[in-house]
Amino acid sequence: MDFFDHQARARRRTLLLVLYFLAALTAVAAAVDLGAWLLVRWLRPELGLIDWLTSENGLWITVATLAVLIGGSLRKAWQLREGGPALARLLGAREVSANPEDAGERRLRNVVEEMSIAAGAYLPRLHVLPREDRINAFVAGLTPSRTVLVVTRGALEQLDRDELQGVVAHEFSHILNADMRLNLRLLAALAGILAIGKVGEFLLHFSAGDGHRRGNAPFAVGGLVLIAIGYAGLFFGRLIKAAISRQRERLADASAVQFTRRPDGLAGALIKIRNGPGSYLHSLHAEDLSHMAFAETLGLRWRRLLATHPSIKQRLTDLGADWPARARARRRRPSAESDAAPSRRIGRLDDANLGYARSLLESLPGDLRQALHTQEGAECVLYTLALGPVAPPPALRTGRRGELVERVRGLGTRLRLPLLDLALATLTQAPADRRPVILRQLRAITRQRSQEDLLCWALGAMARQALADTGRRGPKPDIHRLSAVAGEIQVVFSALAWAGDSARTTALAAFQRATRGLLPAGRLLLPPDRCPAPRMEAAVARLARLTPLLKAPLIDAAADLVLSDGQVQVAEAELLRALCTLLECPMPPLFSQPLNNI
């Protein structure tokens, strides 16, 4: 996405929409004149429209209408004459002190201070809406030097630092792009249009005040006409305001990424709004803030027409083609138990994973580790792992090889993945003419078992990839839509769902939860016999052709499925590891405790 081109186009379209808004104000005045003419013509049928418009009464109606429009706008503008601070007081926002005790408020101040220095802008006055538990924020002010940044309590409690920085950067773009004054003017203009309807309500109540008063009918009809015109004008005013705001919000998202150079934070905040409690406000002034806030402040019946923001899906798509799929896949356990998105850990190391690996290595007997550093020992371990419970061939039953087979089998399944890693590390250094021999022997040993045993296939697939010809190029990433591989996703995720011990009772629910948003309607969990090793191998080979941005949500969803019951079985870990390895995505452990034996 070219953010600079996006900004230029958004600015041009916003100018056009402002002109449309001014046209709407003119249309309201014209509609009042037309309504007055129809009402008068009811009493004087001979009166023509031109005659009415040029008459003294017609001119007075026009002047009165403009006076109401301008007066209503000026009244609202007077209420907000101080700009941001006045709006913050109207909402009951609490100002954040210079040295706050609350951790969330300290984090907010630190983020805003960093952004202000980086942007060369004045530090906004910070306020919190203490009774709003959903995620939202807005800026208001008449000039960049007198700005207020207001965030909800929910934003402070639910967003991490990167996500909060993305929201703040979005709001800073409104400051730097001169959106704040326009936002206040739009608010005042809508108040002027609404004033026409208020006058109509007054006339209607006046006509009903004395039921015996003669001549009340014109007041009642006039009141109904003005109410209809006022609220019709308000509808179209909101329509144009929403279109203006949608363009400004897209510009602000683009600018936020330009400021931070990291779309992850902004996307994370949008995903939490989408998957969490949302962004709607409880305040009575939610409508007034609808075009100013970070996200939607209220729900509307004609959402597509009146929404003041692009949909969350559209905003995520603007940030990157993979983000909507990530959002659908990232419906994880409660935040207190959840890990970072697995796809964000691809290719990274941290202390927890290093400590876990160290503990596993220390649990291996010293002589076994020494044997794994020899080509003969590594081959023997590889064949033993691939055989599983099947009796080994005669060549692996006697002598040192027989002892090594029994030693590996005595360790159980918990250390199968670390043993495979160590064995393959040694075998990748084998002579080029020896590696094809190892692969042929591996296929011969596992030919029958791997047709039905997915664990055997997983180990063999990782070995074949590691020992294949190093000059062979990987698959070309030429698949750009997840819908193009729906069948393959169905096969792989069905296999993952059936891999755990408790799969009989949880497979269906885990599959549906993990594939929500990845698969179209009608793709159901396949029975185990529909996911044999040959079909799995073909499916994973096709998934490897996905573009890198689409592999991330796929891995997130697969990890969610494996972690859905709160524990990782060896069978699940090996299938997930095979999937990530064959997709050329090195996945660190998703666990901090030893795997459960199968």
Side-chain angles (χ1 to χ4, degrees):
M1 169 179 181
D2 187 339
F3 291 103
F4 297 99
D5 181 62
H6 188 171
Q7 292 174 18
R9 287 188 289 111
R11 287 179 185 274
R12 289 194 296 269
R13 295 182 66 183
T14 297
L15 177 60
L16 181 62
L17 291 169
V18 170
L19 296 177
Y20 287 164
F21 194 90
L22 296 176
L25 296 180
T26 305
V28 170
V32 173
D33 278 334
L34 180 61
W37 172 66
L38 292 174
L39 182 61
V40 173
R41 195 169 183 270
W42 179 31
L43 303 175
R44 296 175 55 191
E46 74 281 359
L47 183 63
L49 178 59
I50 301 300
D51 294 334
W52 165 254
L53 292 177
T54 57
S55 68
E56 183 177 355
N57 288 334
L59 292 175
W60 274 112
I61 290 292
T62 301
V63 171
T65 302
L66 293 175
V68 171
L69 287 170
I70 296 173
S73 297
L74 290 178
R75 178 177 178 274
K76 179 61 72 173
W78 176 258
Q79 289 180 336
L80 302 176
R81 64 189 181 278
E82 296 180 27
L87 186 57
R89 287 196 299 271
L90 185 66
L91 297 171
R94 175 176 54 80
E95 186 164 10
V96 177
S97 65
N99 187 24
E101 296 182 359
D102 180 76
E105 294 179 5
R106 284 199 306 272
R107 182 174 56 192
L108 172 65
R109 178 164 287 279
N110 291 337
V111 168
V112 174
E113 287 174 350
E114 291 177 3
M115 195 65 63
S116 298
I117 294 173
Y122 287 98
L123 183 73
R125 293 175 62 179
L126 305 181
H127 289 72
V128 175
L129 294 173
R131 290 182 293 275
E132 298 290 351
D133 57 356
R134 298 177 180 178
I135 300 172
N136 224 320
F138 69 89
V139 288
L142 299 175
T143 63
S145 60
R146 301 182 60 186
T147 305
V148 165
L149 171 61
V150 182
V151 300
T152 61
R153 176 175 57 84
L156 294 184
E157 293 177 349
Q158 299 174 47
L159 299 181
D160 62 29
R161 195 182 194 282
D162 289 343
E163 293 161 349
L164 185 62
Q165 185 183 52
V167 172
V168 169
H170 173 101
E171 297 305 323
F172 258 80
S173 73
H174 286 307
I175 298 174
L176 301 177
N177 293 324
D179 291 343
M180 297 181 300
R181 182 181 292 274
L182 175 63
N183 285 339
L184 291 177
R185 286 175 176 172
L186 289 176
L187 194 156
L190 280 179
I193 296 176
L194 185 59
I196 295 293
K198 295 296 183 183
V199 172
E201 291 178 0
F202 171 77
L203 291 178
L204 190 62
H205 292 156
F206 175 78
S207 66
D210 187 352
H212 302 288
R213 184 182 300 167
R214 300 185 63 182
N216 280 357
F219 289 101
V221 174
L224 290 174
V225 169
L226 288 179
I227 290 174
I229 292 173
Y231 282 95
L234 180 61
F235 173 82
F236 288 105
R238 286 175 177 171
L239 181 66
I240 296 173
K241 180 187 75 168
I244 293 174
S245 180
R246 284 197 293 268
Q247 296 305 317
R248 293 284 176 175
E249 294 305 319
R250 297 184 74 175
L251 170 61
D253 284 347
S255 298
V257 175
Q258 178 187 334
F259 294 158
T260 62
R261 300 294 181 184
R262 295 184 60 188
D264 304 51
L266 181 61
L270 293 172
I271 289 174
K272 284 187 176 178
I273 290 175
R274 178 193 183 278
N275 294 346
S279 60
Y280 295 166
L281 300 181
H282 304 298
S283 173
L284 296 176
H285 301 281
E287 164 61 34
D288 294 334
L289 299 175
S290 61
H291 64 294
M292 304 173 65
F294 173 74
E296 294 281 4
T297 60
L298 74 168
L300 297 170
R301 179 170 298 178
W302 296 285
R303 181 176 180 82
R304 180 170 296 181
L305 291 176
L306 300 180
T308 54
H309 296 67
S311 66
I312 295 293
K313 178 180 178 181
Q314 180 60 56
R315 294 174 73 178
L316 290 171
T317 300
D318 288 344
L319 295 176
D322 64 317
W323 283 111
R326 289 192 187 195
R328 293 190 294 266
R330 199 180 297 175
R331 291 182 179 274
R332 304 182 64 78
R333 302 185 304 279
S335 58
E337 302 177 6
S338 64
D339 300 318
S343 64
R344 297 180 65 180
R345 300 168 62 185
I346 296 293
R348 297 186 180 182
L349 291 174
D350 57 34
D351 291 341
N353 287 332
L354 289 173
Y356 178 72
R358 189 179 303 113
S359 66
L360 285 178
L361 291 175
E362 291 174 351
S363 66
L364 292 176
D367 57 343
L368 178 57
R369 289 188 63 181
Q370 187 175 1
L372 282 166
H373 292 156
T374 66
Q375 181 175 319
E376 181 184 13
E379 284 190 39
C380 184
V381 170
L382 174 63
Y383 301 148
T384 303
L385 295 175
L387 284 167
V390 176
L396 295 178
R397 293 179 187 173
T398 59
R400 187 181 176 191
R401 289 187 175 186
E403 295 177 1
L404 194 55
V405 168
E406 294 302 319
R407 194 69 177 272
V408 171
R409 290 188 168 186
L411 295 175
T413 59
R414 183 177 69 88
L415 296 174
R416 188 153 54 183
L417 283 174
L419 288 173
L420 177 67
D421 287 334
L422 294 175
L424 292 179
T426 299
L427 295 178
T428 54
Q429 299 178 0
D433 58 347
R434 179 60 186 173
R435 290 197 295 270
V437 175
I438 298 173
L439 291 177
R440 284 197 299 270
Q441 292 180 345
L442 182 64
R443 281 193 293 268
I445 290 174
T446 62
R447 181 174 293 115
Q448 289 186 334
R449 179 173 173 242
S450 64
Q451 296 297 311
E452 300 179 357
D453 192 331
L454 290 182
L455 299 183
C456 179
W457 165 80
L459 294 175
M462 288 187 282
R464 288 192 295 274
Q465 185 187 57
L467 302 179
D469 183 9
T470 56
R472 182 178 59 88
R473 297 184 60 182
K476 183 179 179 180
D478 55 359
I479 298 179
H480 302 273
R481 294 178 297 109
L482 288 174
S483 59
V485 289
E488 288 76 11
I489 294 175
Q490 183 184 20
V491 170
V492 171
F493 277 60
S494 295
L496 282 172
W498 290 112
D501 283 349
S502 58
R504 290 186 179 277
T505 58
T506 63
L508 179 59
F511 177 86
Q512 291 176 336
R513 185 165 51 249
T515 58
R516 185 182 297 117
L518 291 180
L519 292 180
R523 294 280 183 172
L524 304 177
L525 174 70
L526 298 175
D529 59 359
R530 297 278 304 278
C531 310
R535 195 174 180 186
M536 273 287 289
E537 187 160 6
V540 174
R542 184 164 168 77
L543 292 178
R545 293 167 52 193
L546 285 169
T547 60
L549 291 178
L550 291 181
K551 291 179 181 178
L554 189 72
I555 292 172
D556 284 343
D560 283 343
L561 192 155
V562 169
L563 295 168
S564 61
D565 59 357
Q567 57 183 348
V568 181
Q569 304 289 335
V570 170
E572 297 171 313
E574 290 180 345
L575 286 180
L576 180 62
R577 172 71 181 281
L579 174 63
C580 293
T581 299
L582 296 176
L583 294 181
E584 298 290 355
C585 300
M587 168 65 77
L590 298 178
F591 34 80
S592 57
Q593 299 297 326
L595 293 172
N596 296 320
N597 289 342
I598 56 175

